Amino acid sequence: MAGTTTTRLSDPEPGAASDRIVREFAQRLVENGISGLPAGERRVIARVAKRYALARELDIAFEESTTFGDRVADRVAEIGGSWTFIISFVVFIAVWAGLNAVLLHWSAAFDPYPFIFLNLLLSLLAALQAPVIMMAQNRQADRDRLTAAHDYEVDLKAELEIMALHDKLDDLRSREIAALIEKLERLAEKTETELAALKSERAAK
């Protein structure tokens, strides 16, 4: 329904076919109202009718619904996907392995080769980090869907406003043309009257 409606609203081809599509769409809206349209398009039509602005700051609206866990997930994903984390982690593993290799000579290594405790820590980190990053990705997907829906509504409203502006310009141009034609007709009548009077004067002479 949404795709069909958008195609009909944005039909750029003038002529009888385009006029027929517009009339059918308008008649369907008159008969069925806007209840059959998607929620986004109903909201756009309502805002166009009331002259309300549709654009809004999505980041602020999205952050208002963010929980503490969501912010933690975003922060973990931000840190885990940075070169700082990668370099720091490589340095940590190198220090861990080197320190245990040195302490092994004095039999004081707390995690000797093959570093079983380090493997346990890495497995635990991976097990915790993966779902947290997936949570952040899901939030980003929600943000992208919200942005796409908002962009569609703004584009649709702009298209409706442009169509209304075109209608106003066409109406203004039609009235100007009608006024010009009326002036030309009066001028033609005046010219014919003057020519008739001139002919009468010449005939009288």
Side-chain angles (χ1 to χ4, degrees):
M1 179 66 182
T4 305
T5 303
T6 305
T7 302
R8 291 183 174 180
L9 285 176
S10 59
D11 188 359
E13 298 180 359
S18 178
D19 294 339
R20 178 178 55 80
I21 292 175
V22 173
R23 285 196 301 271
E24 291 177 356
F25 177 73
Q27 183 178 0
R28 189 169 66 254
L29 285 180
V30 171
E31 293 176 353
N32 303 327
I34 64 174
S35 58
L37 297 177
E41 295 183 1
R42 292 200 303 269
R43 182 165 55 251
V44 170
I45 293 176
R47 287 183 175 270
V48 169
K50 297 178 181 179
R51 296 294 182 181
Y52 288 165
L54 191 62
R56 62 185 186 274
E57 186 62 42
L58 291 181
D59 289 336
I60 297 177
F62 193 79
E63 290 299 330
E64 289 177 352
S65 61
T66 301
T67 63
F68 175 76
D70 294 333
R71 289 192 293 270
V72 171
D74 291 341
R75 186 59 180 167
V76 170
E78 181 181 356
I79 295 175
S82 64
W83 278 107
T84 302
F85 174 79
I86 295 175
I87 295 174
S88 301
F89 203 65
V90 170
V91 171
F92 169 76
I93 293 176
V95 171
W96 183 288
L99 184 60
N100 280 278
V102 172
L103 294 177
L104 186 61
H105 292 286
W106 292 278
S107 300
F110 54 88
D111 186 24
Y113 182 84
F115 312 118
I116 297 176
F117 186 58
L118 177 61
N119 289 328
L120 177 62
L121 292 179
L122 295 178
S123 300
L124 181 62
L125 177 63
L128 293 177
Q129 191 179 30
V132 171
I133 292 177
M134 291 180 64
M135 290 170 56
Q137 291 177 344
N138 291 335
R139 273 179 39 79
Q140 184 61 42
D142 293 338
R143 185 194 296 267
D144 293 340
R145 282 193 293 269
L146 180 63
T147 302
H150 179 261
D151 291 343
Y152 168 73
E153 292 178 6
V154 172
D155 292 342
L156 180 58
K157 183 176 183 294
E159 187 174 3
L160 293 175
E161 294 284 1
I162 292 173
M163 290 175 62
L165 181 60
H166 284 175
D167 291 339
K168 292 179 181 179
L169 291 177
D170 291 340
D171 182 64
L172 179 61
R173 183 171 54 185
S174 299
R175 284 185 291 178
E176 290 179 350
I177 292 175
L180 181 60
I181 292 175
E182 184 179 356
K183 290 181 180 179
L184 291 176
E185 289 177 350
R186 288 200 302 265
L187 181 61
E189 292 177 357
K190 182 179 179 181
T191 303
E192 290 178 358
T193 302
E194 292 178 353
L195 288 176
L198 183 60
K199 289 180 180 179
S200 299
E201 291 178 0
R202 289 181 178 179
K205 293 180 180 179

